[in-house]
Structures are given as C-alpha cells and as structure tokens.
Amino acid sequence: MLGYVVKRVFQSILSVLIVSTLTLFLVYSCVPRQLVFKGDLVLPKIANKPDEYNDYKFRTWEKLGYIDYMTQQEYAQEVFGADSPNVSQALLRDSSFYEKFRTDLSARGYKVEALPISGYLYATKDVALLTRVFRWYAKLIQIDHPYRIQDPNNPGLKRGYFLTRDWGGGLALAASGTIYKYQIWVDDSFPFFHQNIVRLNMGRSYPTFDGVPVLDVISGGQGRSARREIRTTVRGEEVSFFTSIDEHSLKYKPVLDRLDMNKFEDNYADGNLTTIDPSMLGTSFTIGMYSLLLSLAIGLTVGVIAAMKKDRIFDKITMAYIVFISSIPTLLYIALFARFGMKVLGLPDKFPFLGSQNILSYILPTISLSLGGIAGEALWIRRYMVDQMNADYVKFSRSKGLSQAEVFFKHIVRNALIPIVHSIPMAVIGTLAGALITESFYAVPGMGKMFPSAISDYNNAMIIALTFIFTVVSILAIFLGDILVTFVDPRISLAARKEAR
Amino acid sequence: MAKTAERFAFATFDVLESERIAGPRYSYWKSVFQTFFKRKTAIFWLALLLSLTLMSFIQPLVSGYDPAVAPNINTPSTWYQKPSAEHWFGTDDRGNDLWDVVWSGTRMSLSIAFIAAAINIGVGILVGAVWGYSKRLDPILLAVYNVVSNVPYILRSMMLMYIFGRGFWQMILAMTITGWLSIAFFIRTQVMIIRDREYNLASRCLGTPLKRMVTRNILPYMVSVIATLIYQEIPGLINTETILSYLGIGLPSTYPSLGRMIDVYWSFVDTYPHMIVFPGVVMGLVTISFYVVGQLFADASDPRTHR
C-alpha cells in the first residue's frame, strides 16, 4: 500500500509538471504577445506619445518575462553608477555613449533601436521560450528564512524565531529577518493551521488586478475592507487603534512612517487588508461543497428509490429528468432554473445583488451547480442497483427469507455504493468544471468566473496559475477516490498483486 | 422388423428442404431497424431530429442571414417585434428575423458538433482498436491519457481555445485535439474485454488474420457501444460550444451560434422573452432528440433485444 501511494504521488507530481509545462509552452509560444495589451488601461492614454508608448510596452513585456529590456539611461547608470553626473552627460545628443551602447548591447545579443521622438537608444532581447518556462519554475517555490531580508539601511535587524501571540490572542511562531513576520499560526478559519514559510509564487496578475501576485488575487479577500479595534502593547505602552490590516500577512517594510511606529514594534508593518467578503477560493469552495453534499443527498436518495420502483412512475420521472439534464446544454438548464428561482421563489439571480453576506445569494448558484450532479449520482446508483438485482448473492439473500428492505439496504445499496464512493472525489472536479459556467452566469466572484475572464483579458499569469491549481485539484481528487475505495471495499487492493508462483 | 419397415419410409434427400430448416434468416442490421422502428417514441424523435437538422441546413441557404449585416439596424419599427405571421419567431434588437437567426445559429452549432464528433469518434475508434490490441503501445498511450484526463475537458478546451484564438476551425481543433483520447480509452477497454473471449481465441487458433478479427469479430460487437458514444458526444459538443461562446471565448461575433444567441439575447429576457425562448426551445429539442434517438438506437443495436 505504501509503495503504491509513493508511486502514485510521484506520478501525480509528474502529471502536474507535464500539464503545466505544456501550458506554459503553449501560452508563451502561441498567444501573440501583442494581445496582452487588449485589457490595458494605460496604453490608450499614451497612444499619442510614441516614446512613452514604446517604453511602456517593452517594460510590460519585460515584466511578463517575454523580453529583456535596457534603456540608454539604465545602461549609463549601470556603467557610471546611479548618481554619477556622467549619466546625464551620456544622454546628450553628441555623446560618444550612443556608439558604446550600440556596440556593447549588440555584443550581448540585444537588438538596439532608437526612440522615434527623443532619439534615445533602447535595446531588447527576446527571452528564449525554454528560459521563460525555466524561470517560471525557478521562482515557483519561495522559502522564507531568517536571513531572507538583507537591508543595508538596517544592519541591526534581529534574526531568529520566537513564540508570540497575535492580535487575536492566538499562539503563533513569529520570526525576524524573514519576509513574513508570522511563520506558523493557528486560528478559527479553514484549514485552521496556517503557515508562511513555503509560498508559491506564480507571477503577478496583468492587466486585471495589475501587479498583485496571482495567488493573492485568488486567495485574498474581496470587497470593502473590514475595520476592527485592536488593543495591544507597543514598546511597553498599551495602545488601541482601528485598523483593517491582517496581522498574519505582515511583511518587512524597509522605511516606517509615524503611523506604523504607533502600531508596530518592529519593521513588520506591511500587511494585506482584511475584507468583508471571502476570497474567490473561499466563495467557490463554499458553493462547490454545499452543492456536492446536495447532489449526493438528493441524487442518491432519488436513485435508490427509482431502482426500488423500477419501471414505475417515479422511475420514469427520474429517468426523464436524467435525460433532460444530460442532453440539453448546461447553460440552458441553468438559465431556466435561474428564471424559475427568480420568478417563483423570489431569489436573486445575480450574486452581487445581495452580496456575500446574505445567505440568499448562495441558494440559486448552489442548487444550479448540483442539478447536474443529482442527475449523475441518481443515474449511476440506479444503474448499479439494477445490475446487482439479479446477482446470485441477492437471489440467495431473498431465498434466505430477508425482507425486501433488508435485501435492498443491507446488500444491494452497500455494493452499489462502492463505485459511487470512488466517484465522489471526481464529483469535486465536476463541481469545479460546472462552476465555470454557473459562476459566470450568476456573476459569483469565485475562481470559476476568474478563468473565463482571465482568458478574455489575456491575463497569462492567471491562466497558467488557474490551470495549475485546477490540475492539482483534479489529480488529488482522482487519487483520493482510489484510496477511499480501498477503505470502503476491502476486496479492492491497489498494490499490484504478486503473481502466485 | 417388418412392422417398422411398414411404418417408416426412407426420405429422399431434398436440397431445398435442407436449406429451409437451417433456421430463420437473421440479418443483423434489418433486426436493428426493426427493433428500432417498432417503438413509436423512436419514430417521433427521429422525425423531429431529421426535420430539425434538415431545417437548420436548408433554411439558412434560403434566408441568406449574415450576422455581420443588419439591414434593419436603422429602422427601429422592425426591432423587438413579437412573433407574428410575418416573423414567426419575432425579431431581435437589430430587426433581424429570429426565425433566420435561430436556424443559422443551429446550423453553426450542429456543424461544429458534427465535424468535431466525426473526428473524435473516428480517431478514437481507430486508435482505441489498435491500443486495445497492441501491448507495446499500451503503456505509452496510457501515460498520455493519464496526464491529459487529469485536466477537466471543458478546462482543456478553454485553454486550447485561448491558445489557438477564436474561430470556427480553431474551435473544432480545440475540441478534437484531446477529445478523441477519452473515446479511444473507452474503446481500448472494450476491445481488451472482447479480445480474449473464447470465440476470438477460437478464431485466432483457426488462423483468422488480424484485420478480419477486428472488422468481423470485434467491431460488430461494439455497434451499441459506438452508438452510445455518438449520442453522448454530439449533445456534449453542442454543450461545449454553447459554454465557450457564452463565456465570450468561443466563436467571434460574426458567427451566429446557439451559445452566442443566449449570450447576446439574455439581457432582453425580462423585456422581450421571445428572444430567449425560441433559441432555447430549438436548442433543447435538438439536443434532446439526438440523445433520445441515440439511446433508443443503441438499445436496438444490442442483439440481445432482437427477437
């Protein structure tokens, strides 16, 4: 068993690597880089200033990893030092630096060109596809340690770990010299145990959520910031203030202002804001999990009853529902259900009408998402049960004189549930994929909606990150399904059986 | 002894007679269609399916509707008309006759689904048949399948659509480039199950060549399986098309399609419901009739249902 798990974990990691590498290759090589500016808000404003326009474009491409970019001024600063008077000399029209720039950067493999108006030179070099993919992986895993911060203006920075209490009074392992102050902490929000030591860095979002790390976009809170009163001690003095800073996200801040000094003892003063709305991840997770529970509860009940009353009216209605849901496009039945929910039940058909704080907002998206799942679970449990009905062990149990209910619930259902248990983690993926359309339709601010909007905005970093996450979740789900089924059914063994003799 | 000779007479050998008692004539395909057409529901859905398909392929040729051209865009009186004798489905927000729009949209969605399904199923069956037979190919294709199938299909097609750009052939490419894999895997498993049955073992012992084994022994056995694949594949592909087009990453706006119609007309659902009802109903009928006809045909093609 252990050997099998290790092998599967290895396979899964390999799978994730292959899928994300393929995605990276395809996105970087097939999507024209000019398209990333489609959603850019700055570019149209400077369209009539060719120099700025050029500069902005190349800087953005550099930021996204497409090219290496060097301007004449940057090179002058590199050669002479940032504050040297030679820098401004080098930019004068008759300076010999022009020639030096040309020869030096051409030698480095750059393509040198002049800006259309000012005539200043700049140089660009395409980053090879392989290098780009390699760079993405190279910075993927970030490990925080007490020697991470090297600040020349703060040589006395203490380094090391210590136990402390956060603002809420919870126990936490904090550190100094690291990027993040709080390294490990426990609180009451899922998954209760949190850490900042190993973090994934999948690049920064652009053009939507410009500059924010993509994982922060997905996992960070949304909506207005939530202020609360904090009482704590700073340098021995008791202070109380209103803030919306999330203390667990506090990062090293090189230069503190007076307000920071009043709140914090050390240099860790740069935190994210706590917000009133849950993150995209949280919203999707809530809706997905509830809809999964709903589809299991309703789907299995309906399927079992339909199998028990095979070919009677209840069974026929169930089958009609299953055919309806599996044949017509998802969009159509979600739209139909949304109209029903709005007109008949009076529920909002757009999530933002009532917002994330109101439970009514969640009802229609959750049920919509489970409509497909109900049909799937009902179909499979019914089919398995009908198949089992003529099995020998069922005939035997009947001949033993068991009642109809005993035959069904002690024998048939238990056997029919095995493949269902196997498929539960797969159903998680199902909700994931279904969430793409449901969340878009109801305008739910979740991950599912993020994917299509990232595509229409050409937000490459976000697309790659989401594909990565969805793939990891899918692989994990399939893996869990295989493990789970061995617990339910002792006859199934995952490890390849050794050939007898 | 003598009595026996009185009662029994030797029969003469009759060639014609010996043919007759060889059993009732059985033709597989004839029985399939007989079983299929015995059900009234099957005839109804098949007639509906055929008329919808024919309508959507013929009507756009007559109407000449082109979403890039809106001839009535400047005559507001033609906009938002309720269904009437002149405009059976009413008109839309740009004065286009919805009857025309719906059929050309259906044609587009069906064309994509037909072409993509033909490629997926064709390639899937071919590769699957070889995959099921070849022991050398199995580990390679299995590894590819394991990687690809980890990513949900809709995510894959969205990803590919993003990479290839928006358009008709791009969409077919996005749907087929990995779409055949799951079908091939399914066929592979079926072939593996059937391959080692006793009758195939016997056939192999008698020296039947591989080609004949596949075409005569195995494929006919899988007609109902293949029928099942087709009836699930086509509504599935129409579903994918509508999702992609609805999310704005499918067909560009110069193509009419069912998904785009829902996307564009949804904002009028309260004020002019006819604009969403007619495309919706046609879309529903097309997919349901495909599904039901396919299901009934798959049932009929299973020899165990034949009398």
Side-chain angles (χ1 to χ4, degrees):
Chain A
M1 184 72 185
L2 186 72
Y4 175 80
V5 171
V6 170
K7 202 174 137 213
R8 271 300 285 273
V9 169
F10 181 72
Q11 273 178 352
S12 305
I13 293 172
L14 196 70
S15 254
V16 172
L17 283 181
I18 292 174
V19 169
S20 41
T21 309
L22 268 178
T23 315
L24 280 163
F25 265 109
L26 288 171
V27 166
Y28 279 138
S29 60
C30 296
V31 180
R33 64 180 69 167
Q34 188 66 39
L35 285 175
V36 299
F37 297 117
K38 259 196 156 176
D40 195 287
L41 299 172
V42 179
L43 216 51
K45 289 180 196 156
I46 54 172
N48 55 353
K49 300 173 190 156
D51 282 7
E52 277 184 49
Y53 184 87
N54 256 352
D55 187 57
Y56 182 81
K57 236 168 61 172
F58 288 123
R59 278 199 196 287
T60 311
W61 278 336
E62 187 183 30
K63 202 167 68 182
L64 299 178
Y66 281 108
I67 57 169
D68 286 331
Y69 176 56
M70 176 81 85
T71 61
Q72 196 176 349
Q73 187 172 6
E74 278 166 1
Y75 189 57
Q77 284 172 347
E78 192 186 298
V79 173
F80 303 118
D83 304 325
S84 161
N86 288 342
V87 172
S88 50
Q89 286 284 319
L91 291 175
L92 291 178
R93 199 155 286 276
D94 47 357
S95 161
S96 62
F97 191 74
Y98 280 79
E99 209 36 56
K100 181 178 164 54
F101 186 81
R102 257 182 218 286
T103 47
D104 284 6
L105 283 156
S106 300
R108 283 199 216 169
Y110 280 79
K111 203 172 100 191
V112 182
E113 271 167 300
L115 285 172
I117 306 286
S118 64
Y120 292 143
L121 298 177
Y122 64 88
T124 55
K125 185 170 78 172
D126 269 13
V127 177
L129 192 56
L130 223 65
T131 320
R132 248 180 280 165
V133 173
F134 177 74
R135 281 183 190 171
W136 192 85
Y137 281 114
K139 66 179 173 60
L140 179 63
I141 295 172
Q142 304 270 341
I143 295 172
D144 206 2
H145 55 80
Y147 293 90
R148 195 69 203 268
I149 297 287
Q150 297 295 341
D151 188 355
N153 299 323
N154 189 2
L157 184 66
K158 274 184 280 179
R159 298 187 190 276
Y161 292 96
F162 55 94
L163 277 175
T164 184
R165 288 191 177 278
D166 59 22
W167 287 344
L171 197 64
L173 177 72
S176 190
T178 48
I179 293 178
Y180 287 90
K181 177 176 179 181
Y182 289 92
Q183 299 283 306
I184 301 172
W185 72 97
V186 183
D187 65 10
D188 57 351
S189 66
F190 188 81
F192 313 115
F193 178 85
H194 309 268
Q195 58 90 22
N196 265 335
I197 300 172
V198 180
R199 289 175 69 89
L200 293 181
N201 173 15
M202 299 199 189
R204 287 169 188 276
S205 175
Y206 171 85
T208 39
F209 301 96
D210 192 5
V212 184
V214 281
L215 290 185
D216 285 2
V217 174
I218 299 165
S219 62
Q222 304 180 84
R224 277 193 296 117
S225 52
R227 284 165 70 84
R228 67 210 190 284
E229 195 180 4
I230 300 292
R231 287 173 195 286
T232 182
T233 48
V234 176
R235 285 175 278 276
E237 273 178 61
E238 284 219 8
V239 290
S240 90
F241 50 88
F242 282 92
T243 185
S244 51
I245 290 175
D246 171 21
E247 77 270 30
H248 295 130
S249 69
L250 285 175
K251 278 199 286 193
Y252 183 80
K253 193 174 181 183
V255 183
L256 297 177
D257 57 29
R258 199 171 49 81
L259 285 171
D260 293 332
M261 303 283 240
N262 290 342
K263 289 177 194 164
F264 303 106
E265 291 189 11
D266 43 22
N267 268 53
Y268 290 89
D270 187 7
N272 295 342
L273 302 180
T274 54
T275 53
I276 52 169
D277 292 340
S279 64
M280 293 180 183
L281 202 69
T283 314
S284 287
F285 186 76
T286 314
I287 293 181
M289 278 302 132
Y290 279 110
S291 85
L292 187 63
L293 291 179
L294 204 66
S295 49
L296 282 175
I298 299 178
L300 293 184
T301 319
V302 167
V304 168
I305 298 174
M308 288 171 79
K309 302 193 182 300
K310 190 170 175 299
D311 293 332
R312 303 248 283 277
I313 185 79
F314 185 86
D315 185 37
K316 286 200 169 126
I317 294 173
T318 310
M319 285 315 284
Y321 170 78
I322 291 170
V323 167
F324 183 76
I325 292 291
S326 16
S327 64
I328 75 166
T330 324
L331 179 64
L332 204 59
Y333 70 71
I334 287 179
L336 211 64
F337 183 75
R339 292 306 287 172
F340 168 79
M342 198 177 95
K343 291 283 170 192
V344 181
L345 308 176
L347 293 163
D349 72 340
K350 290 275 180 265
F351 189 89
F353 281 165
L354 297 177
S356 69
Q357 300 302 308
N358 196 323
I359 192 167
L360 293 179
S361 310
Y362 291 91
I363 294 177
L364 286 188
T366 308
I367 300 179
S368 286
L369 195 50
S370 63
L371 288 176
I374 291 174
E377 302 295 348
L379 176 69
W380 286 110
I381 188 96
R382 180 188 170 279
R383 181 169 295 173
Y384 291 133
M385 283 182 69
V386 170
D387 284 352
Q388 303 274 323
M389 268 178 204
N390 291 322
D392 288 341
Y393 77 91
V394 176
K395 286 181 190 153
F396 178 64
S397 64
R398 280 226 173 82
S399 59
K400 275 196 302 189
L402 295 187
S403 74
Q404 188 74 348
E406 276 174 316
V407 172
F408 265 104
F409 289 104
K410 288 202 173 147
H411 290 272
I412 300 179
V413 171
R414 285 177 72 159
N415 269 308
L417 270 180
I418 293 165
I420 299 289
V421 168
H422 189 225
S423 73
I424 288 177
M426 288 288 271
V428 178
I429 310 177
T431 56
L432 203 85
L436 291 174
I437 187 98
T438 312
E439 288 184 8
S440 297
F441 191 86
Y442 290 102
V444 177
M447 288 223 292
K449 186 176 180 296
M450 197 61 218
F451 195 73
S453 55
I455 283 183
S456 43
D457 293 331
Y458 294 93
N459 191 338
N460 284 341
M462 182 67 76
I463 290 167
I464 292 164
L466 285 175
T467 313
F468 186 88
I469 293 169
F470 283 141
T471 309
V472 170
V473 172
S474 305
I475 288 175
L476 219 63
I478 296 169
F479 188 23
L480 277 181
D482 287 350
I483 300 287
L484 211 60
V485 82
T486 59
F487 286 105
V488 181
D489 187 353
R491 287 169 300 183
I492 295 173
S493 139
L494 290 172
R497 226 171 271 127
K498 286 213 177 71
E499 288 291 323
R501 269 154 298 177
Chain B
M1 281 298 263
K3 271 197 176 158
T4 324
E6 270 168 36
R7 284 186 191 165
F8 297 93
F10 281 101
T12 48
F13 179 69
D14 187 344
V15 180
L16 283 176
E17 202 67 12
S18 72
E19 289 283 305
R20 181 137 40 103
I21 56 170
R25 275 179 61 82
Y26 174 80
S27 153
Y28 173 71
W29 287 107
K30 209 173 141 195
S31 311
V32 169
F33 287 111
Q34 256 173 8
T35 324
F36 181 78
F37 284 114
K38 231 170 11 200
R39 303 180 74 155
K40 286 214 176 59
T41 45
I43 298 173
F44 168 76
W45 284 107
L46 184 66
L48 186 68
L49 172 65
L50 286 179
S51 47
L52 285 170
T53 315
L54 282 178
M55 194 68 194
S56 62
F57 280 92
I58 294 170
Q59 205 276 343
L61 297 178
V62 180
S63 74
Y65 167 74
D66 181 356
V69 184
N72 297 326
I73 188 94
N74 289 323
T75 36
S77 59
T78 59
W79 303 351
Y80 309 115
Q81 280 182 24
K82 292 257 148 61
S84 63
E86 199 186 339
H87 303 290
W88 289 1
F89 285 181
T91 59
D92 72 357
D93 56 331
R94 293 191 289 171
N96 290 319
D97 190 349
L98 262 183
W99 176 257
D100 297 347
V101 184
V102 165
W103 292 117
S104 41
T106 314
R107 182 174 76 152
M108 184 56 64
S109 298
L110 275 182
S111 312
I112 289 176
F114 282 159
I115 299 174
I119 297 174
N120 276 350
I121 291 173
V123 176
I125 289 174
L126 271 181
V127 176
V130 178
W131 186 357
Y133 248 99
S134 165
K135 292 222 164 79
R136 220 180 312 154
L137 208 59
D138 191 44
I140 304 168
L141 278 172
L142 209 57
V144 174
Y145 173 78
N146 281 338
V147 170
V148 173
S149 66
N150 278 328
V151 189
Y153 178 68
I154 188 72
L155 197 72
R156 256 183 281 158
S157 9
M158 283 166 96
M159 209 40 242
L160 291 168
M161 211 52 209
Y162 173 63
I163 288 158
F164 298 140
R166 294 165 66 175
F168 181 84
W169 290 107
Q170 283 92 326
M171 180 174 261
I172 288 173
L173 198 60
M175 284 170 166
T176 52
I177 207 161
T178 60
W180 59 272
L181 248 176
S182 55
I183 292 177
F185 180 73
F186 185 73
I187 295 284
R188 166 235 181 216
T189 316
Q190 297 291 320
V191 168
M192 279 182 145
I193 293 169
I194 300 167
R195 171 183 80 181
D196 295 331
R197 292 244 172 105
E198 279 82 356
Y199 77 97
N200 280 321
L201 214 63
S203 208
R204 213 164 30 213
C205 290
L206 294 173
T208 317
L210 181 67
K211 199 179 140 207
R212 201 180 157 78
M213 288 275 291
V214 172
T215 53
R216 293 280 160 173
N217 286 17
I218 294 177
L219 280 183
Y221 213 94
M222 292 174 43
V223 171
S224 70
V225 173
I226 293 168
T228 311
L229 280 176
I230 295 175
Y231 84 69
Q232 287 175 344
E233 186 73 0
I234 286 178
L237 288 170
I238 294 178
N239 186 19
T240 312
E241 186 275 318
T242 47
I243 290 177
L244 292 176
S245 298
Y246 173 74
L247 295 177
I249 48 181
L251 293 169
S253 56
T254 48
Y255 288 84
S257 93
L258 293 173
R260 280 202 51 77
M261 279 159 77
I262 304 283
D263 183 22
V264 174
Y265 296 149
W266 187 255
S267 45
F268 304 102
V269 68
D270 284 306
T271 39
Y272 303 103
H274 70 270
M275 281 163 64
I276 210 83
V277 167
F278 288 111
V281 168
V282 170
M283 182 152 85
L285 285 179
V286 167
T287 46
I288 291 179
S289 59
F290 262 108
Y291 196 88
V292 175
V293 167
Q295 207 171 22
L296 294 173
F297 186 79
D299 286 350
S301 60
D302 184 356
R304 275 168 292 188
T305 61
H306 296 173
R307 285 284 144 82

